[in-house]
Amino acid sequence: MEVEIPTQHREPKVKRPSAWRWHDLPGAAAKPLRDPLLAVNFLLLAVGAACGPLLLRLYFLRGGSRKWLSSLLQTAGWPLLLVPLCFSFSSRRRRRGRQGDDATASSSVFLMTPRLLAASAVVGLMTGADNFLYAYGQAYLPVSTSSILISTQLAFTAAFALLLVRQRFTGSTVNAIVLLSVGAAMLGMGSGGDRPAGVSGAQYAVGFGMALGAAALYGLVLPVMELSQAWHAARAGSAALTYTLVVEIQVVIGLTATAFCAVGMLANNDFQAIPGEARQSQLGQPGYYLLLVGTAAVYQCFCLGIIGAIYYGSALLAGVIITVLLPVTEVLAVVFFHEPFSGTKGVALGLSLWGLASYFYGEVRNKAPEAEHQTSLCADRDCEN
């Protein structure tokens, strides 16, 4: 009996493997929630999520018709990220000069490993396909309708996060998924009443399906992003998962998605049609090109905000933030485009907000027991030491 007692006391020391909890990334856990970069990423995401759909819809309303071009605009702003990467590289080189030749690894131009590069390229191809689905839906649907449909990505994100990154489900999460799904179903049953002028019933139906498909695919993209970061963080010998590395990931994703859409533009002769479309645009040539540049910049804010939210939190957190901004996009669409807002849309929006509130309530309620558990574990370790 005396031999077994020490074994029982040593049992709490056994470290439980946490490999299945991919959302607990080392890089994310090391960042405090009050980090200024966290607020910056949320601000970028808010600007992109609220203004991006409006600018893309404005392109179609003012005479634009090129779906592959509008797809490319959603990631074409990736070169803007080269500026902060250049500053980061310059800073690493200065640190190396102060520390000596032992800091050679930190002065590399790129921090990405070949595996992470390949994973980011795959995510980029998925993003390019999602951009096309989303642009197709935007061409035929009012912004208010497409935004509510896109909000269902939270349900898809939660489902894929459960499968890929072992995201834990709570009753509140399930309730949020059900409410969002019911809201989308209500829009489907009442579709057609808000069909824009000049859009046929068949085009509206296809746009509806494309927007829903875009939500489903993006619900897969977010957990895959998180999984690729987790694999890199868990791999021995890999560079630390820093914010600079996250920006490099977004550059590769943006470059690959833009190349994917550029191939579609070549096949559809969009490059040859752009000058003629600019001349015929209701905005005029300068306004037309300014709209294209502004749309690309705004969507780049969205992309950087998304991957930053995943770095600091999780894919599900990124999906929740997108859903939080749904009412903002709805109101702006009604104000600027005078889109009809039927009772069905109002109920669907109410269900979406209800689901969002349910999710946040569950998260807040579950944080306290987790914090107490972590505190008790730390106290046990201190006692053992």
Side-chain angles (χ1 to χ4, degrees):
M1 293 300 294
E2 295 180 355
V3 177
E4 295 178 358
I5 292 175
T7 304
Q8 293 176 355
H9 282 289
R10 285 196 301 268
E11 186 175 352
K13 285 187 175 182
V14 178
K15 192 173 183 179
R16 301 293 186 223
S18 57
W20 294 114
R21 297 189 63 186
W22 287 109
H23 56 288
D24 292 333
L25 303 182
K31 301 288 184 180
L33 291 179
R34 61 180 179 274
D35 195 304
L37 281 178
L38 176 63
V40 170
N41 277 274
F42 282 4
L43 179 61
L44 292 174
L45 183 54
V47 171
C51 301
L54 299 176
L55 293 176
L56 200 61
R57 182 59 183 164
L58 182 63
Y59 164 78
F60 290 108
L61 291 176
R62 294 299 180 264
S65 61
R66 298 289 165 175
K67 301 176 182 64
W68 279 111
L69 171 61
S70 58
S71 304
L72 179 137
L73 293 177
Q74 298 174 51
T75 50
W78 65 267
L80 296 174
L81 300 180
L82 296 178
V83 176
L85 286 180
C86 289
F87 279 111
S88 176
F89 174 68
S90 176
S91 176
R92 294 201 304 271
R93 291 201 62 174
R94 286 197 301 269
R95 284 200 304 268
R96 180 196 174 192
R98 291 195 298 265
Q99 296 172 1
D101 295 335
D102 294 336
T104 304
S106 65
S107 64
S108 302
V109 178
F110 297 107
L111 302 176
M112 299 186 71
T113 62
R115 286 177 178 267
L116 187 57
L117 176 65
S120 301
V122 172
V123 174
L125 293 175
M126 297 170 63
T127 302
D130 182 75
N131 289 348
F132 178 74
L133 294 175
Y134 179 70
Y136 207 104
Q138 284 289 87
Y140 299 121
L141 297 177
V143 175
S144 54
T145 300
S146 63
S147 296
I148 295 178
L149 288 175
I150 293 300
S151 71
T152 61
Q153 58 80 27
L154 179 59
F156 294 109
T157 300
F160 287 119
L162 173 66
L163 296 175
L164 297 180
V165 295
R166 302 303 192 268
Q167 179 74 48
R168 290 182 302 168
F169 265 40
T170 63
S172 299
T173 304
V174 175
N175 185 47
I177 293 172
V178 171
L179 290 171
L180 287 169
S181 302
V182 172
M186 288 186 61
L187 283 178
M189 291 185 295
S191 63
D194 62 343
R195 189 169 70 240
V199 176
S200 66
Q203 289 174 329
Y204 186 94
V206 172
F208 193 97
M210 288 289 195
L212 201 56
L217 182 55
Y218 203 67
L220 174 62
V221 168
L222 294 180
V224 170
M225 285 184 184
E226 182 180 354
L227 185 61
S228 64
Q229 293 184 18
W231 274 345
H232 177 83
R235 187 174 176 80
S238 298
L241 186 62
T242 62
Y243 191 74
T244 299
L245 181 57
V246 169
V247 175
E248 288 185 7
I249 293 173
Q250 182 54 44
V251 167
V252 175
I253 292 174
L255 174 61
T256 308
T258 303
F260 176 88
C261 296
V263 173
M265 289 182 65
L266 286 172
N268 202 42
N269 297 321
D270 282 4
F271 288 105
Q272 296 88 334
I274 288 177
E277 189 174 76
R279 287 191 298 268
Q280 299 173 4
S281 174
Q282 300 175 20
L283 299 171
Q285 285 189 348
Y288 175 86
Y289 289 116
L290 183 61
L291 176 62
L292 298 188
V293 174
T295 303
V298 166
Y299 268 107
Q300 192 54 53
C301 292
F302 175 81
C303 294
L304 185 59
I306 280 291
I307 201 164
I310 294 175
Y311 170 70
Y312 284 106
S314 66
L316 192 57
L317 173 63
V320 168
I321 297 172
I322 296 173
T323 309
V324 167
L325 299 168
L326 169 65
V328 179
T329 307
E330 295 276 340
V331 172
L332 292 176
V334 173
V335 171
F336 290 107
F337 297 152
H338 306 290
E339 293 183 352
F341 198 82
S342 63
T344 302
K345 283 186 183 180
V347 174
L349 176 60
L351 290 175
S352 299
L353 295 177
W354 183 8
L356 179 63
S358 174
Y359 173 83
F360 273 123
Y361 173 75
E363 286 296 302
V364 172
R365 188 182 60 180
N366 292 328
K367 286 297 181 183
E370 289 181 3
E372 293 176 0
H373 179 65
Q374 292 295 332
T375 303
S376 63
L377 288 179
C378 294
D380 291 343
R381 293 192 188 100
D382 293 338
C383 292
E384 291 169 0
N385 293 331

